[in-house]
Amino acid sequence: MEQFVIGFWGCYFGATGLMLVGSAFAYIRSLRRVAFNAAMTSLAAAFFVLAFLGAFPIESDALRDRFLAAVASLVSALLVYFFFATLGLLHQPKIRRRTALALLALAVAAIVTGWPMPPMSALTASIAMACLLGALALALSLRSARDGERLGWVMVSGVFFMLVAIVGLGWIALNRAHAPWQVHALSALAATAYLTSISIVLWTRYSYVIELREVMAQGPDYDPVTRMRSHSETEQMVDVAFMQHQEQPMPLGVIVVSISNLYALEKLHGRAAVNHALFVCAGRLRRVVPAHVEMGRLGDDGFLLLKGSSNDSGRLIRLARMVQSSLSKSMVLNTRLEAGARGYKQTRWAVEVGVGVLRISQADEHAAVAVAMAQGMSRTAWSYPSGLAWYDEKSREIVELPGDAS
């Protein structure tokens, strides 16, 4: 059975080595914040595992339990701190400092509180504190997942596996001579799954930063929605959609999104901030728009959505409301080309969005005229409280749509 134990823990340390290699690669690409978070997470977790497996030769059982109690308190606080950073809760320097001090104070308090206790009781108390911190991280990740965070459930699973690994390693440390091999196997698999989940989140963050740098550097020549270099593909998309509409006269839904305050953003913070804003808006569009809806850039300040077979105008209106609600949320923008910048290099920006919604039923409608009309409606919607403008085919008037998406 000892071979099984060695094999499972060998798998975990192999995953740790791969994560460190990935961190070095990210550091070479000048993504130092991502590389630092990944390296420190993997090293801290590996140190925790090595200590609880008895890798450090400490002859006295009492001294060993005191040492493991300190390791459990300090390393769990460090892991939770880096998890908060990955979750995006530590953007502001003041919050970052307060969180670090609070976690450090909690770890020190656990060590000091456990000092008058017997060594094994102090170790048990420190393991319980680590589990409580893990439960806090699990609650925050659950809230993030319910709020629609793209990788929220990956983070939930990662924290869950971390809790399983902590409990298993605590069992091993408290019953070193009698811990069954199944506990070792479960703990090793949970620790490996935790590292894998964190690696997925950090890799997604890494690829996001790489893509963001390219967008901020290339500007309007790089389409953040379709991942194409120019607007010509959007024009081709419109021509194809209207040709299909003429061949099969099914109503065609046209939604145009226009952002009113991009010009002011450029004057205040430069073109790089505008490119970042367009990039974030495009990412939000991809998350909220169904796969069967075609998307493309329209001009320098807008996006075009085409929805075929729009017999149900209610669905088209609901889609427009979802788009307006998603894009109208404020965002944190980089004001310099360093994509990993924090603090004073970033600014919170409130997006002002107008959405024009048009349903085309006539087969002889010209593409350019319809798109121009929808774009004009989206600009008209800037003056509406809801930010939504709809063309009523019966009255042939542009009317405001209520913003309630219930």
Side-chain angles (χ1 to χ4, degrees):
M1 296 304 177
E2 185 177 351
Q3 294 178 349
F4 284 104
V5 172
I6 294 174
F8 281 117
W9 285 115
C11 179
Y12 165 75
F13 286 110
T16 301
L18 288 176
M19 194 167 179
L20 289 174
V21 171
S23 303
F25 178 76
Y27 187 85
I28 293 173
R29 298 292 298 271
S30 299
L31 300 174
R32 298 181 178 179
R33 183 173 296 275
V34 176
F36 180 76
N37 287 350
M40 290 302 297
T41 298
S42 57
L43 288 174
F47 181 79
F48 188 99
V49 170
L50 287 172
F52 273 71
L53 290 180
F56 301 103
I58 302 176
E59 296 181 358
S60 172
D61 291 342
L63 183 59
R64 182 200 63 198
D65 290 342
R66 297 287 185 191
F67 172 72
L68 292 182
V71 169
S73 300
L74 294 173
V75 174
S76 61
L78 184 63
L79 288 175
V80 169
Y81 175 83
F82 283 114
F83 176 79
F84 288 165
T86 304
L87 203 60
L89 302 178
L90 305 179
H91 287 322
Q92 299 180 12
K94 183 182 294 185
I95 295 178
R96 191 159 59 245
R97 286 193 299 270
R98 289 180 178 177
T99 303
L101 290 175
L103 290 173
L104 180 61
L106 182 61
V108 173
I111 296 173
V112 173
T113 303
W115 195 256
M117 301 180 182
M120 187 168 288
S121 299
L123 175 57
T124 304
S126 294
I127 293 172
M129 189 215 75
C131 291
L132 287 176
L133 285 177
L136 174 62
L138 183 62
L140 291 176
S141 58
L142 280 170
R143 188 186 69 175
S144 177
R146 284 196 295 265
D147 289 344
E149 173 67 32
R150 181 173 50 163
L151 295 171
W153 293 111
V154 177
M155 290 187 284
V156 169
S157 62
V159 177
F160 172 77
F161 287 125
M162 180 184 72
L163 279 171
V164 173
I166 290 174
V167 172
L169 287 167
W171 187 349
I172 293 170
L174 294 172
N175 302 274
R176 188 174 303 279
H178 305 288
W181 71 269
Q182 291 90 344
V183 176
H184 280 275
L186 180 61
S187 302
L189 290 176
T192 305
Y194 161 70
L195 273 188
T196 303
S197 302
I198 296 300
S199 299
I200 292 173
V201 175
L202 290 174
W203 174 257
T204 304
R205 181 72 57 85
Y206 164 76
S207 59
Y208 171 87
V209 171
I210 290 292
E211 190 175 25
L212 174 58
R213 282 188 171 182
E214 187 173 356
V215 169
M216 293 172 68
Q218 297 191 33
D221 294 334
Y222 188 85
D223 190 330
V225 175
T226 62
R227 298 299 187 262
M228 297 177 183
R229 294 289 180 180
S230 67
H231 294 77
S232 60
E233 294 293 335
T234 302
E235 298 175 3
Q236 183 178 356
M237 176 188 72
V238 172
D239 293 337
V240 170
F242 274 81
M243 286 178 59
Q244 293 176 351
H245 172 65
Q246 293 173 359
E247 294 173 357
Q248 299 176 356
M250 298 286 289
L252 177 65
V254 180
I255 298 177
V256 173
V257 180
S258 295
I259 305 172
S260 65
N261 53 344
L262 281 178
Y263 179 78
L265 178 66
E266 181 176 6
K267 293 301 181 183
L268 287 173
H269 299 291
R271 188 65 200 181
V274 173
N275 296 334
H276 190 179
L278 291 172
F279 176 78
V280 174
C281 289
R284 292 178 176 180
L285 274 177
R286 288 193 301 275
R287 287 191 291 271
V288 76
V289 172
H292 62 274
V293 177
E294 300 288 341
M295 295 184 293
R297 278 283 302 278
L298 186 64
D300 292 334
D301 62 351
F303 302 93
L304 172 66
L305 282 67
L306 296 178
K307 183 180 183 300
S309 303
S310 297
N311 291 317
D312 187 356
S313 60
R315 291 185 177 180
L316 186 64
I317 292 173
R318 284 195 294 272
L319 175 60
R321 284 170 171 162
M322 290 170 58
V323 167
Q324 199 277 337
S325 176
S326 178
L327 267 64
S328 295
K329 297 176 181 178
S330 63
M331 62 182 72
V332 178
L333 298 178
N334 290 91
T335 56
R336 296 187 182 182
L337 283 176
E338 291 84 358
R342 299 292 182 193
Y344 68 91
K345 297 179 182 179
Q346 290 189 327
T347 183
R348 181 165 291 276
W349 182 59
V351 194
E352 297 177 5
V353 176
V355 179
V357 190
L358 175 65
R359 194 178 70 156
I360 299 173
S361 302
Q362 299 179 359
D364 58 348
E365 187 73 39
H366 293 288
V369 175
V371 172
M373 181 178 179
Q375 187 175 28
M377 291 166 56
S378 69
R379 297 177 185 277
T380 301
W382 291 342
S383 61
Y384 294 158
S386 66
L388 294 163
W390 163 260
Y391 179 73
D392 190 347
E393 294 178 285
K394 294 182 179 179
S395 63
R396 295 187 177 183
E397 293 180 349
I398 299 174
V399 297
E400 179 185 5
L401 285 175
D404 184 11
S406 60

Short mmCIF file of all heavy atoms in Angstrom, two decimals, residues 60-105:
data_model
loop_
_atom_site.label_atom_id
_atom_site.label_comp_id
_atom_site.label_asym_id
_atom_site.label_seq_id
_atom_site.Cartn_x
_atom_site.Cartn_y
_atom_site.Cartn_z
N SER A 60 10.99 15.36 18.38
CA SER A 60 10.03 15.54 19.47
C SER A 60 8.61 15.65 18.90
O SER A 60 8.35 16.49 18.02
CB SER A 60 10.38 16.79 20.28
OG SER A 60 9.35 17.08 21.20
N ASP A 61 7.70 14.83 19.40
CA ASP A 61 6.31 14.90 18.95
C ASP A 61 5.67 16.23 19.34
O ASP A 61 4.90 16.81 18.56
CB ASP A 61 5.51 13.75 19.56
CG ASP A 61 5.93 12.39 19.00
OD1 ASP A 61 6.56 12.37 17.91
OD2 ASP A 61 5.62 11.37 19.63
N ALA A 62 5.97 16.72 20.52
CA ALA A 62 5.39 17.99 20.96
C ALA A 62 5.86 19.14 20.08
O ALA A 62 5.07 19.99 19.65
CB ALA A 62 5.76 18.26 22.42
N LEU A 63 7.17 19.17 19.79
CA LEU A 63 7.70 20.23 18.93
C LEU A 63 7.15 20.12 17.52
O LEU A 63 6.85 21.14 16.88
CB LEU A 63 9.22 20.15 18.92
CG LEU A 63 9.95 21.25 18.12
CD1 LEU A 63 9.60 22.62 18.67
CD2 LEU A 63 11.45 21.02 18.15
N ARG A 64 6.98 18.89 17.05
CA ARG A 64 6.43 18.70 15.71
C ARG A 64 5.00 19.23 15.64
O ARG A 64 4.61 19.91 14.68
CB ARG A 64 6.45 17.22 15.36
CG ARG A 64 5.94 16.89 13.95
CD ARG A 64 5.53 15.45 13.84
NE ARG A 64 4.41 15.17 14.73
CZ ARG A 64 4.04 13.95 15.12
NH1 ARG A 64 4.76 12.90 14.75
NH2 ARG A 64 3.00 13.78 15.90
N ASP A 65 4.18 18.94 16.65
CA ASP A 65 2.79 19.43 16.65
C ASP A 65 2.74 20.95 16.72
O ASP A 65 1.89 21.58 16.06
CB ASP A 65 2.03 18.82 17.83
CG ASP A 65 1.78 17.33 17.65
OD1 ASP A 65 1.89 16.84 16.50
OD2 ASP A 65 1.51 16.65 18.66
N ARG A 66 3.64 21.56 17.52
CA ARG A 66 3.68 23.03 17.57
C ARG A 66 4.06 23.60 16.19
O ARG A 66 3.48 24.59 15.74
CB ARG A 66 4.71 23.48 18.61
CG ARG A 66 4.42 23.08 20.03
CD ARG A 66 3.28 23.88 20.62
NE ARG A 66 3.09 23.56 22.03
CZ ARG A 66 2.04 23.95 22.74
NH1 ARG A 66 1.10 24.69 22.16
NH2 ARG A 66 1.91 23.62 24.01
N PHE A 67 5.03 22.96 15.57
CA PHE A 67 5.46 23.41 14.25
C PHE A 67 4.33 23.29 13.23
O PHE A 67 4.08 24.22 12.44
CB PHE A 67 6.68 22.59 13.80
CG PHE A 67 7.09 22.83 12.37
CD1 PHE A 67 7.69 24.03 12.00
CD2 PHE A 67 6.87 21.87 11.41
CE1 PHE A 67 8.07 24.25 10.68
CE2 PHE A 67 7.24 22.08 10.09
CZ PHE A 67 7.85 23.27 9.73
N LEU A 68 3.63 22.17 13.23
CA LEU A 68 2.53 21.97 12.28
C LEU A 68 1.37 22.94 12.57
O LEU A 68 0.69 23.38 11.63
CB LEU A 68 2.03 20.53 12.35
CG LEU A 68 3.00 19.46 11.84
CD1 LEU A 68 2.36 18.08 11.92
CD2 LEU A 68 3.41 19.76 10.40
N ALA A 69 1.16 23.27 13.83
CA ALA A 69 0.11 24.25 14.16
C ALA A 69 0.44 25.61 13.55
O ALA A 69 -0.43 26.29 12.99
CB ALA A 69 -0.05 24.36 15.67
N ALA A 70 1.71 26.02 13.67
CA ALA A 70 2.12 27.29 13.06
C ALA A 70 2.01 27.23 11.54
O ALA A 70 1.56 28.19 10.90
CB ALA A 70 3.56 27.62 13.48
N VAL A 71 2.41 26.10 10.94
CA VAL A 71 2.32 25.96 9.49
C VAL A 71 0.86 26.03 9.04
O VAL A 71 0.53 26.72 8.06
CB VAL A 71 2.97 24.63 9.04
CG1 VAL A 71 2.64 24.34 7.57
CG2 VAL A 71 4.47 24.68 9.24
N ALA A 72 -0.02 25.33 9.74
CA ALA A 72 -1.44 25.34 9.35
C ALA A 72 -2.02 26.74 9.41
O ALA A 72 -2.77 27.16 8.52
CB ALA A 72 -2.22 24.40 10.26
N SER A 73 -1.68 27.50 10.45
CA SER A 73 -2.24 28.84 10.60
C SER A 73 -1.70 29.80 9.54
O SER A 73 -2.47 30.50 8.86
CB SER A 73 -1.93 29.38 12.00
OG SER A 73 -2.47 28.55 12.99
N LEU A 74 -0.38 29.83 9.38
CA LEU A 74 0.23 30.81 8.48
C LEU A 74 -0.01 30.47 7.02
O LEU A 74 -0.37 31.35 6.21
CB LEU A 74 1.73 30.90 8.77
CG LEU A 74 2.11 31.46 10.14
CD1 LEU A 74 3.61 31.34 10.38
CD2 LEU A 74 1.68 32.92 10.26
N VAL A 75 0.15 29.21 6.63
CA VAL A 75 0.02 28.84 5.23
C VAL A 75 -1.44 28.94 4.78
O VAL A 75 -1.73 29.38 3.67
CB VAL A 75 0.58 27.43 4.98
CG1 VAL A 75 0.30 26.98 3.55
CG2 VAL A 75 2.07 27.41 5.26
N SER A 76 -2.39 28.53 5.62
CA SER A 76 -3.79 28.66 5.24
C SER A 76 -4.18 30.12 5.04
O SER A 76 -4.91 30.46 4.09
CB SER A 76 -4.69 28.01 6.28
OG SER A 76 -4.53 28.65 7.54
N ALA A 77 -3.68 31.01 5.90
CA ALA A 77 -3.94 32.45 5.71
C ALA A 77 -3.33 32.95 4.41
O ALA A 77 -3.95 33.74 3.68
CB ALA A 77 -3.39 33.23 6.90
N LEU A 78 -2.11 32.48 4.10
CA LEU A 78 -1.47 32.90 2.86
C LEU A 78 -2.23 32.40 1.63
O LEU A 78 -2.43 33.14 0.66
CB LEU A 78 -0.02 32.38 2.84
CG LEU A 78 0.84 32.79 1.64
CD1 LEU A 78 1.03 34.30 1.62
CD2 LEU A 78 2.19 32.09 1.68
N LEU A 79 -2.68 31.14 1.67
CA LEU A 79 -3.42 30.58 0.53
C LEU A 79 -4.75 31.31 0.33
O LEU A 79 -5.15 31.58 -0.81
CB LEU A 79 -3.67 29.09 0.75
CG LEU A 79 -2.45 28.17 0.62
CD1 LEU A 79 -2.83 26.74 0.98
CD2 LEU A 79 -1.88 28.22 -0.79
N VAL A 80 -5.41 31.63 1.42
CA VAL A 80 -6.68 32.37 1.30
C VAL A 80 -6.44 33.77 0.76
O VAL A 80 -7.22 34.29 -0.03
CB VAL A 80 -7.40 32.40 2.67
CG1 VAL A 80 -8.58 33.37 2.64
CG2 VAL A 80 -7.87 31.01 3.04
N TYR A 81 -5.33 34.40 1.16
CA TYR A 81 -5.01 35.73 0.63
C TYR A 81 -4.83 35.68 -0.89
O TYR A 81 -5.38 36.51 -1.62
CB TYR A 81 -3.75 36.27 1.29
CG TYR A 81 -3.27 37.58 0.71
CD1 TYR A 81 -3.83 38.78 1.13
CD2 TYR A 81 -2.28 37.61 -0.26
CE1 TYR A 81 -3.40 39.98 0.60
CE2 TYR A 81 -1.85 38.81 -0.81
CZ TYR A 81 -2.41 39.99 -0.37
OH TYR A 81 -2.00 41.19 -0.92
N PHE A 82 -4.07 34.71 -1.37
CA PHE A 82 -3.87 34.60 -2.82
C PHE A 82 -5.15 34.19 -3.53
O PHE A 82 -5.37 34.57 -4.68
CB PHE A 82 -2.74 33.62 -3.13
CG PHE A 82 -1.38 34.18 -2.89
CD1 PHE A 82 -0.56 33.67 -1.89
CD2 PHE A 82 -0.90 35.24 -3.64
CE1 PHE A 82 0.70 34.19 -1.65
CE2 PHE A 82 0.36 35.78 -3.41
CZ PHE A 82 1.16 35.25 -2.42
N PHE A 83 -6.01 33.45 -2.84
CA PHE A 83 -7.30 33.12 -3.44
C PHE A 83 -8.15 34.37 -3.58
O PHE A 83 -8.82 34.56 -4.61
CB PHE A 83 -8.02 32.08 -2.60
CG PHE A 83 -9.39 31.75 -3.11
CD1 PHE A 83 -9.56 30.89 -4.19
CD2 PHE A 83 -10.52 32.30 -2.54
CE1 PHE A 83 -10.82 30.60 -4.68
CE2 PHE A 83 -11.78 32.02 -3.01
CZ PHE A 83 -11.93 31.17 -4.08
N PHE A 84 -8.16 35.23 -2.57
CA PHE A 84 -8.88 36.50 -2.67
C PHE A 84 -8.35 37.34 -3.84
O PHE A 84 -9.12 37.98 -4.55
CB PHE A 84 -8.76 37.29 -1.37
CG PHE A 84 -9.55 36.72 -0.23
CD1 PHE A 84 -9.31 37.12 1.08
CD2 PHE A 84 -10.53 35.77 -0.45
CE1 PHE A 84 -10.03 36.60 2.13
CE2 PHE A 84 -11.27 35.24 0.60
CZ PHE A 84 -11.01 35.65 1.89
N ALA A 85 -7.03 37.33 -4.02
CA ALA A 85 -6.44 38.07 -5.14
C ALA A 85 -6.90 37.49 -6.47
O ALA A 85 -7.22 38.23 -7.41
CB ALA A 85 -4.91 38.04 -5.05
N THR A 86 -6.94 36.16 -6.59
CA THR A 86 -7.41 35.52 -7.81
C THR A 86 -8.88 35.82 -8.05
O THR A 86 -9.32 35.99 -9.19
CB THR A 86 -7.19 34.01 -7.72
OG1 THR A 86 -5.81 33.74 -7.46
CG2 THR A 86 -7.60 33.32 -9.01
N LEU A 87 -9.65 35.92 -6.97
CA LEU A 87 -11.08 36.20 -7.09
C LEU A 87 -11.35 37.65 -7.49
O LEU A 87 -12.46 38.00 -7.88
CB LEU A 87 -11.77 35.89 -5.75
CG LEU A 87 -13.25 35.60 -5.75
CD1 LEU A 87 -13.57 34.39 -6.61
CD2 LEU A 87 -13.74 35.35 -4.33
N GLY A 88 -10.32 38.50 -7.42
CA GLY A 88 -10.47 39.89 -7.82
C GLY A 88 -10.96 40.81 -6.72
O GLY A 88 -11.52 41.88 -7.00
N LEU A 89 -10.76 40.41 -5.46
CA LEU A 89 -11.25 41.21 -4.33
C LEU A 89 -10.21 42.18 -3.78
O LEU A 89 -10.52 42.94 -2.87
CB LEU A 89 -11.72 40.28 -3.20
CG LEU A 89 -12.82 39.27 -3.56
CD1 LEU A 89 -13.12 38.39 -2.36
CD2 LEU A 89 -14.08 39.99 -4.02
N LEU A 90 -8.98 42.14 -4.31
CA LEU A 90 -7.90 42.93 -3.72
C LEU A 90 -7.36 43.95 -4.72
O LEU A 90 -6.15 44.22 -4.75
CB LEU A 90 -6.78 42.01 -3.24
CG LEU A 90 -7.19 40.90 -2.26
CD1 LEU A 90 -5.99 40.05 -1.88
CD2 LEU A 90 -7.85 41.49 -1.02
N HIS A 91 -8.20 44.52 -5.55
CA HIS A 91 -7.74 45.49 -6.53
C HIS A 91 -7.22 46.77 -5.85
O HIS A 91 -6.20 47.32 -6.25
CB HIS A 91 -8.86 45.85 -7.50
CG HIS A 91 -9.17 44.76 -8.49
ND1 HIS A 91 -8.19 43.98 -9.06
CD2 HIS A 91 -10.34 44.33 -9.01
CE1 HIS A 91 -8.73 43.12 -9.88
NE2 HIS A 91 -10.04 43.31 -9.87
N GLN A 92 -7.96 47.24 -4.85
CA GLN A 92 -7.59 48.50 -4.22
C GLN A 92 -6.49 48.27 -3.19
O GLN A 92 -6.57 47.34 -2.37
CB GLN A 92 -8.81 49.14 -3.56
CG GLN A 92 -9.93 49.45 -4.54
CD GLN A 92 -11.13 50.09 -3.87
OE1 GLN A 92 -11.05 50.51 -2.72
NE2 GLN A 92 -12.24 50.15 -4.58
N PRO A 93 -5.46 49.13 -3.17
CA PRO A 93 -4.35 48.95 -2.22
C PRO A 93 -4.81 48.96 -0.76
O PRO A 93 -4.27 48.20 0.05
CB PRO A 93 -3.43 50.14 -2.53
CG PRO A 93 -3.76 50.52 -3.93
CD PRO A 93 -5.21 50.24 -4.11
N LYS A 94 -5.78 49.78 -0.42
CA LYS A 94 -6.24 49.84 0.96
C LYS A 94 -6.88 48.51 1.38
O LYS A 94 -6.59 47.99 2.47
CB LYS A 94 -7.25 50.99 1.12
CG LYS A 94 -7.74 51.18 2.55
CD LYS A 94 -8.77 52.27 2.65
CE LYS A 94 -8.16 53.62 2.31
NZ LYS A 94 -9.13 54.73 2.51
N ILE A 95 -7.72 47.96 0.51
CA ILE A 95 -8.35 46.67 0.82
C ILE A 95 -7.29 45.57 0.89
O ILE A 95 -7.36 44.68 1.74
CB ILE A 95 -9.42 46.34 -0.24
CG1 ILE A 95 -10.56 47.36 -0.17
CG2 ILE A 95 -9.96 44.93 -0.04
CD1 ILE A 95 -11.63 47.16 -1.20
N ARG A 96 -6.29 45.65 -0.01
CA ARG A 96 -5.24 44.64 -0.02
C ARG A 96 -4.46 44.65 1.30
O ARG A 96 -4.18 43.60 1.88
CB ARG A 96 -4.32 44.90 -1.21
CG ARG A 96 -3.34 43.79 -1.50
CD ARG A 96 -2.85 43.84 -2.92
NE ARG A 96 -2.19 45.10 -3.25
CZ ARG A 96 -2.65 45.97 -4.15
NH1 ARG A 96 -3.79 45.73 -4.79
NH2 ARG A 96 -1.99 47.08 -4.41
N ARG A 97 -4.11 45.84 1.78
CA ARG A 97 -3.36 45.94 3.03
C ARG A 97 -4.20 45.46 4.21
O ARG A 97 -3.71 44.72 5.08
CB ARG A 97 -2.91 47.38 3.25
CG ARG A 97 -1.76 47.83 2.35
CD ARG A 97 -1.18 49.13 2.87
NE ARG A 97 -2.17 50.20 2.88
CZ ARG A 97 -2.39 51.02 1.86
NH1 ARG A 97 -1.70 50.89 0.74
NH2 ARG A 97 -3.29 51.98 1.95
N ARG A 98 -5.46 45.88 4.26
CA ARG A 98 -6.31 45.48 5.38
C ARG A 98 -6.54 43.97 5.40
O ARG A 98 -6.54 43.36 6.47
CB ARG A 98 -7.65 46.22 5.28
CG ARG A 98 -7.56 47.71 5.60
CD ARG A 98 -8.92 48.38 5.48
NE ARG A 98 -8.86 49.79 5.83
CZ ARG A 98 -9.90 50.62 5.75
NH1 ARG A 98 -11.09 50.15 5.35
NH2 ARG A 98 -9.77 51.89 6.08
N THR A 99 -6.73 43.39 4.24
CA THR A 99 -6.94 41.94 4.18
C THR A 99 -5.69 41.19 4.64
O THR A 99 -5.77 40.22 5.40
CB THR A 99 -7.32 41.52 2.75
OG1 THR A 99 -8.48 42.23 2.32
CG2 THR A 99 -7.59 40.03 2.68
N ALA A 100 -4.53 41.64 4.18
CA ALA A 100 -3.27 40.99 4.58
C ALA A 100 -3.07 41.09 6.08
O ALA A 100 -2.70 40.10 6.74
CB ALA A 100 -2.10 41.61 3.83
N LEU A 101 -3.30 42.28 6.64
CA LEU A 101 -3.12 42.45 8.09
C LEU A 101 -4.13 41.63 8.88
O LEU A 101 -3.79 41.04 9.92
CB LEU A 101 -3.26 43.93 8.45
CG LEU A 101 -2.11 44.85 7.97
CD1 LEU A 101 -2.43 46.30 8.27
CD2 LEU A 101 -0.79 44.44 8.62
N ALA A 102 -5.37 41.56 8.39
CA ALA A 102 -6.40 40.79 9.11
C ALA A 102 -6.07 39.30 9.10
O ALA A 102 -6.19 38.62 10.14
CB ALA A 102 -7.77 41.03 8.47
N LEU A 103 -5.64 38.78 7.97
CA LEU A 103 -5.29 37.36 7.90
C LEU A 103 -4.06 37.04 8.73
O LEU A 103 -4.00 36.01 9.41
CB LEU A 103 -5.08 36.95 6.44
CG LEU A 103 -6.33 36.91 5.56
CD1 LEU A 103 -5.96 36.66 4.11
CD2 LEU A 103 -7.29 35.83 6.05
N LEU A 104 -3.07 37.93 8.69
CA LEU A 104 -1.87 37.73 9.51
C LEU A 104 -2.22 37.77 10.99
O LEU A 104 -1.73 36.93 11.78
CB LEU A 104 -0.83 38.79 9.17
CG LEU A 104 0.50 38.71 9.96
CD1 LEU A 104 1.19 37.39 9.70
CD2 LEU A 104 1.40 39.89 9.59
N ALA A 105 -3.05 38.72 11.39
CA ALA A 105 -3.46 38.81 12.80
C ALA A 105 -4.23 37.57 13.23
O ALA A 105 -4.05 37.06 14.35
CB ALA A 105 -4.31 40.06 13.01
#
